[in-house]
Amino acid sequence: MKEIKGASPATRLDSFVGAAKRKDLKSRSVGFLILDHPITRSPRHPIRHTASSYKYLCLAFLLLLLTQSVFATDTGTLHGIVTDPLGAVIQNANVDLLHEGKQTTSTATGPDGKFQFTSLAPGHYLVHVTAPTFASQSSPLIYVGAGNSAEVNLTLGLGTIAQQIVVSSTGTEAPLSQVGASVSVIPNSQFQGRLDLLEPLRQAPGAQILQGGQRGGITALFVRGGNANANKVLLDGLPMNDIGGLVEFGNLSTTGIEQIEFLRGPNSVLYGSDALASVVNLTTRRGTTPLPEISYAFDAGNFHSWRHDASLGGVFHQFDYFSEFSRFDTGNSLPNNSFHNGTYVGNFGWTPNASTDVRFTARHTNTAVGAPNALEFFAIPDDSFQREQDTYIGVTAQNQTTSRWHNLLRYGATRLRSQFENPSPSGIPFDPFGLGPNFLGQTLTIHGANGFSTTGQAILDFGGTFPVLSSSSSKRDFVYLQSDYSFSPHLTALFGFHYENERGFTLASGQKTSTDRNNFSYTAQFQGSLGSRAYATAGAGVEDNSIFGVAVTPRVSLAYYLARPRSDGWLNGTKLRFNYGQGIKGPSIFEESTSLFGLLSQLPNGSQLISQFHVGPIGAERSRSFDFGFEQLAWRGRAKLNVTFFHNRFTNQVEFVSNTALP
């Protein structure tokens, strides 16, 4: 990462026009520049914590989740409210109740938009709502236990564009129509048959996917001028990022993914470090059918490509389960460029009663890819290869303690391992001085775009001891506690606490560099509506990082309907949006170990030099983002125009200089 002095902040335009059945979203760019500032940091005095001081709090919270009242009756009830995109109640909507895929009874909403089903036998139910001039909507699968009262509220959209529920912007479920942030939701129906997660992400405005080589090649996501390590990627609430923020998208398949939620803009208030430019939230599929659903798919093609995929899912009493395994192999079209990806996904839930849900999720990916190097420059393939094993495990317990108070406790573990090996030298030995050979490629002529050309041989492998090995490992364990309370239908407060231990190492040229960090973060956020047209979210996050100390990140999101949504006419509602936010990102293991502070700390007189030149530990990279835009519904809700202007600024970025510059 290189400092660019005097550059203007990043400025771009995201624009897309969507129709009800269209599959592709297009973005239009006016370019961007990044303004970098060198790291400046004064000594910090971070707040001290110990992880053990929170174990009693987590234990008490878990007991609260599992402690419920016992009723004498053997049946339950299901009730809720049906509203339009802006939260106004809908009268006389038809509400169907389905059990085991069959309709059992129906009712209609009253003047207050409410409905209720009573005397329900224990089991899983689904609510389907229809109303004139609105798009129909179905609820997720809901468990109703004996003596319990379950609640499900549904928001109907206009026309044929279904109303989508998002969580990445607010931390709690909210209709997309009431959110001011730039969020795209990509359901499974839009990427069925796609192999890699990078393919549906290309549909989202503001996202650029760069892949080096063919399948399995290094792949990165760039959002609105941010670097590849500036995106927080979550799987069912579990961070998938390596230490320092990087995510290898070339290894992420669509196996088991139900939905992709893509938030453009920083949100370190809710997600802490790494949420510098965007948040990508992946949701795993769940079992939904009483009869086990089994599927198997196989396909094959040229370049020795083939793929197997098998899944099993369903519900049984208070439990739901889903498992899927896929294996993809291809030789690609280059020598020593074969790639395979084996992925297992599991999602297992237990609903002891209507107000409590406990869920275990797991994902394991095993990949290997050959690295032939730049064949156009060498004409000889290298015999190097790389393997990766990534595991993500999470346990989440949620409890609707009262009708207004909701609590969530989550534990997650992320394990990332990578090994690179060059087993033997490749190329033509060349040893004119008798000091040991280097290894060259074939004689080639390279033509430049300016008309210049040159002929020669490039060094493919340097001499030395083989095999050449390097590896890295990252481990993250975290506990997240969230409590949100609705003071009224128009105001909700959210408070969160996050403890994280991240540790890992890199091993290259026989040298091992490691880190062990304990990080804490705190969140306070308020979300509500102002009248019947305006919606706001405002909050602040405090990150206490073991490397860069304490950092505060604010965020504000506003939405206002200039014209309320309606079902008649050609123009059906105009929404204005505004967002402001700040993001932070911690350093990688390599950045931490090669920082000026780290290098000076290893010298005999390092303490004296650090004090003399006022050198501090490497700080946090930062971002500041403004965006505003509008959405226009048209054609009786069948189409939507969305235009967003944004202004991003990335500061305190890391600059690498030669060690010859240090004196």
Tab-separated table of all heavy atoms in Angstrom, residues 620-647:
chain	number	residue	atom	x	y	z
A	620	ALA	N	-4.477	2.136	13.776
A	620	ALA	CA	-5.596	1.591	12.999
A	620	ALA	C	-5.771	2.387	11.713
A	620	ALA	O	-5.682	3.614	11.706
A	620	ALA	CB	-6.877	1.657	13.821
A	621	GLU	N	-6.000	1.684	10.605
A	621	GLU	CA	-6.429	2.360	9.390
A	621	GLU	C	-7.862	2.840	9.593
A	621	GLU	O	-8.661	2.203	10.280
A	621	GLU	CB	-6.341	1.421	8.192
A	621	GLU	CG	-4.930	0.971	7.877
A	621	GLU	CD	-4.868	0.126	6.624
A	621	GLU	OE1	-5.578	0.451	5.650
A	621	GLU	OE2	-4.139	-0.872	6.618
A	622	ARG	N	-8.192	3.950	8.961
A	622	ARG	CA	-9.499	4.563	9.196
A	622	ARG	C	-10.177	4.931	7.877
A	622	ARG	O	-9.509	5.146	6.852
A	622	ARG	CB	-9.359	5.819	10.062
A	622	ARG	CG	-8.904	5.526	11.492
A	622	ARG	CD	-8.747	6.804	12.294
A	622	ARG	NE	-8.450	6.532	13.688
A	622	ARG	CZ	-9.362	6.387	14.639
A	622	ARG	NH1	-10.658	6.494	14.335
A	622	ARG	NH2	-9.020	6.139	15.886
A	623	SER	N	-11.496	5.023	7.934
A	623	SER	CA	-12.264	5.495	6.785
A	623	SER	C	-13.365	6.425	7.273
A	623	SER	O	-13.829	6.322	8.413
A	623	SER	CB	-12.877	4.322	6.013
A	623	SER	OG	-13.887	3.679	6.785
A	624	ARG	N	-13.781	7.313	6.383
A	624	ARG	CA	-14.914	8.199	6.639
A	624	ARG	C	-15.741	8.232	5.368
A	624	ARG	O	-15.211	8.429	4.271
A	624	ARG	CB	-14.447	9.603	6.988
A	624	ARG	CG	-15.572	10.538	7.424
A	624	ARG	CD	-15.151	11.982	7.290
A	624	ARG	NE	-14.941	12.357	5.895
A	624	ARG	CZ	-14.407	13.508	5.496
A	624	ARG	NH1	-13.987	14.369	6.397
A	624	ARG	NH2	-14.264	13.783	4.206
A	625	SER	N	-17.043	8.035	5.516
A	625	SER	CA	-17.883	7.885	4.330
A	625	SER	C	-19.159	8.707	4.463
A	625	SER	O	-19.821	8.690	5.504
A	625	SER	CB	-18.241	6.402	4.122
A	625	SER	OG	-19.160	6.245	3.062
A	626	PHE	N	-19.495	9.449	3.387
A	626	PHE	CA	-20.793	10.079	3.215
A	626	PHE	C	-21.444	9.443	1.986
A	626	PHE	O	-20.780	9.218	0.986
A	626	PHE	CB	-20.664	11.588	2.962
A	626	PHE	CG	-20.148	12.377	4.123
A	626	PHE	CD1	-18.795	12.625	4.261
A	626	PHE	CD2	-21.024	12.891	5.072
A	626	PHE	CE1	-18.307	13.378	5.318
A	626	PHE	CE2	-20.548	13.636	6.143
A	626	PHE	CZ	-19.189	13.878	6.267
A	627	ASP	N	-22.728	9.166	2.061
A	627	ASP	CA	-23.445	8.831	0.833
A	627	ASP	C	-24.883	9.302	0.937
A	627	ASP	O	-25.458	9.361	2.025
A	627	ASP	CB	-23.334	7.342	0.492
A	627	ASP	CG	-24.212	6.437	1.322
A	627	ASP	OD1	-25.443	6.604	1.294
A	627	ASP	OD2	-23.674	5.537	1.983
A	628	PHE	N	-25.428	9.681	-0.194
A	628	PHE	CA	-26.827	10.102	-0.259
A	628	PHE	C	-27.381	9.697	-1.619
A	628	PHE	O	-26.642	9.551	-2.596
A	628	PHE	CB	-26.971	11.614	-0.035
A	628	PHE	CG	-26.257	12.460	-1.053
A	628	PHE	CD1	-26.922	12.919	-2.186
A	628	PHE	CD2	-24.925	12.792	-0.879
A	628	PHE	CE1	-26.260	13.689	-3.125
A	628	PHE	CE2	-24.257	13.569	-1.819
A	628	PHE	CZ	-24.927	14.018	-2.942
A	629	GLY	N	-28.671	9.482	-1.674
A	629	GLY	CA	-29.275	9.054	-2.921
A	629	GLY	C	-30.782	8.994	-2.810
A	629	GLY	O	-31.378	9.474	-1.842
A	630	PHE	N	-31.396	8.392	-3.825
A	630	PHE	CA	-32.848	8.262	-3.810
A	630	PHE	C	-33.236	6.955	-4.486
A	630	PHE	O	-32.502	6.389	-5.294
A	630	PHE	CB	-33.526	9.455	-4.499
A	630	PHE	CG	-33.340	9.488	-5.998
A	630	PHE	CD1	-34.258	8.874	-6.844
A	630	PHE	CD2	-32.243	10.128	-6.554
A	630	PHE	CE1	-34.086	8.910	-8.215
A	630	PHE	CE2	-32.062	10.157	-7.926
A	630	PHE	CZ	-32.990	9.556	-8.760
A	631	GLU	N	-34.435	6.477	-4.130
A	631	GLU	CA	-35.038	5.315	-4.757
A	631	GLU	C	-36.409	5.719	-5.277
A	631	GLU	O	-37.147	6.436	-4.603
A	631	GLU	CB	-35.195	4.161	-3.761
A	631	GLU	CG	-33.889	3.614	-3.225
A	631	GLU	CD	-34.110	2.505	-2.207
A	631	GLU	OE1	-35.281	2.112	-2.009
A	631	GLU	OE2	-33.128	2.051	-1.601
A	632	GLN	N	-36.727	5.241	-6.473
A	632	GLN	CA	-38.027	5.543	-7.071
A	632	GLN	C	-38.698	4.249	-7.505
A	632	GLN	O	-38.166	3.509	-8.337
A	632	GLN	CB	-37.851	6.468	-8.279
A	632	GLN	CG	-39.150	6.799	-8.993
A	632	GLN	CD	-40.101	7.601	-8.126
A	632	GLN	OE1	-39.758	8.692	-7.674
A	632	GLN	NE2	-41.299	7.081	-7.884
A	633	LEU	N	-39.856	3.944	-6.900
A	633	LEU	CA	-40.671	2.825	-7.351
A	633	LEU	C	-41.527	3.268	-8.524
A	633	LEU	O	-42.038	4.390	-8.544
A	633	LEU	CB	-41.569	2.323	-6.223
A	633	LEU	CG	-40.905	1.484	-5.121
A	633	LEU	CD1	-41.926	1.162	-4.035
A	633	LEU	CD2	-40.318	0.206	-5.684
A	634	ALA	N	-41.677	2.372	-9.512
A	634	ALA	CA	-42.446	2.717	-10.704
A	634	ALA	C	-43.148	1.477	-11.239
A	634	ALA	O	-42.901	0.353	-10.788
A	634	ALA	CB	-41.525	3.310	-11.779
A	635	TRP	N	-44.045	1.747	-12.214
A	635	TRP	CA	-44.748	0.680	-12.928
A	635	TRP	C	-45.508	-0.221	-11.961
A	635	TRP	O	-45.415	-1.414	-11.989
A	635	TRP	CB	-43.762	-0.128	-13.772
A	635	TRP	CG	-44.398	-0.978	-14.809
A	635	TRP	CD1	-45.668	-0.899	-15.282
A	635	TRP	CD2	-43.770	-2.061	-15.484
A	635	TRP	NE1	-45.884	-1.861	-16.218
A	635	TRP	CE2	-44.723	-2.598	-16.375
A	635	TRP	CE3	-42.507	-2.623	-15.442
A	635	TRP	CZ2	-44.448	-3.671	-17.192
A	635	TRP	CZ3	-42.217	-3.693	-16.265
A	635	TRP	CH2	-43.175	-4.210	-17.118
A	636	ARG	N	-46.234	0.411	-11.050
A	636	ARG	CA	-47.041	-0.275	-10.046
A	636	ARG	C	-46.204	-1.271	-9.218
A	636	ARG	O	-46.637	-2.381	-8.928
A	636	ARG	CB	-48.226	-0.986	-10.699
A	636	ARG	CG	-49.228	-0.039	-11.345
A	636	ARG	CD	-50.415	-0.790	-11.898
A	636	ARG	NE	-51.422	0.124	-12.426
A	636	ARG	CZ	-51.427	0.568	-13.686
A	636	ARG	NH1	-50.473	0.172	-14.504
A	636	ARG	NH2	-52.362	1.395	-14.102
A	637	GLY	N	-45.038	-0.833	-8.844
A	637	GLY	CA	-44.184	-1.644	-7.986
A	637	GLY	C	-43.412	-2.731	-8.697
A	637	GLY	O	-42.785	-3.572	-8.052
A	638	ARG	N	-43.406	-2.725	-10.034
A	638	ARG	CA	-42.686	-3.762	-10.773
A	638	ARG	C	-41.228	-3.395	-11.038
A	638	ARG	O	-40.429	-4.257	-11.408
A	638	ARG	CB	-43.378	-4.042	-12.102
A	638	ARG	CG	-44.778	-4.636	-11.979
A	638	ARG	CD	-45.340	-4.943	-13.360
A	638	ARG	NE	-46.639	-5.575	-13.288
A	638	ARG	CZ	-47.791	-4.918	-13.318
A	638	ARG	NH1	-47.784	-3.587	-13.387
A	638	ARG	NH2	-48.936	-5.567	-13.262
A	639	ALA	N	-40.871	-2.135	-10.878
A	639	ALA	CA	-39.503	-1.689	-11.169
A	639	ALA	C	-39.050	-0.695	-10.110
A	639	ALA	O	-39.871	-0.041	-9.450
A	639	ALA	CB	-39.431	-1.054	-12.556
A	640	LYS	N	-37.722	-0.589	-9.964
A	640	LYS	CA	-37.161	0.331	-8.968
A	640	LYS	C	-35.885	0.952	-9.513
A	640	LYS	O	-35.009	0.251	-10.023
A	640	LYS	CB	-36.868	-0.404	-7.659
A	640	LYS	CG	-36.307	0.505	-6.569
A	640	LYS	CD	-36.251	-0.195	-5.224
A	640	LYS	CE	-35.272	-1.332	-5.195
A	640	LYS	NZ	-35.127	-1.890	-3.829
A	641	LEU	N	-35.788	2.260	-9.413
A	641	LEU	CA	-34.582	2.999	-9.780
A	641	LEU	C	-33.886	3.433	-8.502
A	641	LEU	O	-34.501	4.016	-7.615
A	641	LEU	CB	-34.934	4.230	-10.623
A	641	LEU	CG	-33.792	5.233	-10.857
A	641	LEU	CD1	-32.725	4.627	-11.745
A	641	LEU	CD2	-34.328	6.518	-11.466
A	642	ASN	N	-32.589	3.148	-8.405
A	642	ASN	CA	-31.812	3.459	-7.202
A	642	ASN	C	-30.521	4.145	-7.631
A	642	ASN	O	-29.730	3.554	-8.374
A	642	ASN	CB	-31.511	2.168	-6.434
A	642	ASN	CG	-30.817	2.434	-5.111
A	642	ASN	OD1	-30.227	3.483	-4.914
A	642	ASN	ND2	-30.863	1.467	-4.214
A	643	VAL	N	-30.294	5.369	-7.186
A	643	VAL	CA	-29.080	6.115	-7.510
A	643	VAL	C	-28.446	6.592	-6.208
A	643	VAL	O	-29.131	7.173	-5.362
A	643	VAL	CB	-29.373	7.313	-8.434
A	643	VAL	CG1	-28.091	8.107	-8.699
A	643	VAL	CG2	-29.974	6.842	-9.750
A	644	THR	N	-27.153	6.338	-6.052
A	644	THR	CA	-26.442	6.721	-4.830
A	644	THR	C	-25.136	7.418	-5.179
A	644	THR	O	-24.367	6.912	-6.006
A	644	THR	CB	-26.134	5.482	-3.970
A	644	THR	OG1	-27.348	4.828	-3.619
A	644	THR	CG2	-25.407	5.888	-2.689
A	645	PHE	N	-24.895	8.560	-4.572
A	645	PHE	CA	-23.619	9.257	-4.667
A	645	PHE	C	-22.883	9.073	-3.339
A	645	PHE	O	-23.500	9.181	-2.281
A	645	PHE	CB	-23.825	10.750	-4.931
A	645	PHE	CG	-24.515	11.047	-6.231
A	645	PHE	CD1	-25.899	11.067	-6.315
A	645	PHE	CD2	-23.774	11.305	-7.373
A	645	PHE	CE1	-26.544	11.344	-7.507
A	645	PHE	CE2	-24.408	11.587	-8.572
A	645	PHE	CZ	-25.793	11.605	-8.643
A	646	PHE	N	-21.581	8.826	-3.415
A	646	PHE	CA	-20.839	8.654	-2.167
A	646	PHE	C	-19.496	9.365	-2.231
A	646	PHE	O	-18.965	9.649	-3.311
A	646	PHE	CB	-20.628	7.165	-1.849
A	646	PHE	CG	-19.705	6.451	-2.797
A	646	PHE	CD1	-18.331	6.481	-2.634
A	646	PHE	CD2	-20.223	5.739	-3.854
A	646	PHE	CE1	-17.485	5.827	-3.502
A	646	PHE	CE2	-19.387	5.074	-4.731
A	646	PHE	CZ	-18.012	5.119	-4.565
A	647	HIS	N	-18.960	9.633	-1.066
A	647	HIS	CA	-17.670	10.322	-0.923
A	647	HIS	C	-16.916	9.611	0.192
A	647	HIS	O	-17.243	9.756	1.371
A	647	HIS	CB	-17.908	11.791	-0.581
A	647	HIS	CG	-16.644	12.611	-0.506
A	647	HIS	ND1	-15.838	12.634	0.602
A	647	HIS	CD2	-16.068	13.436	-1.415
A	647	HIS	CE1	-14.819	13.445	0.390
A	647	HIS	NE2	-14.929	13.941	-0.825
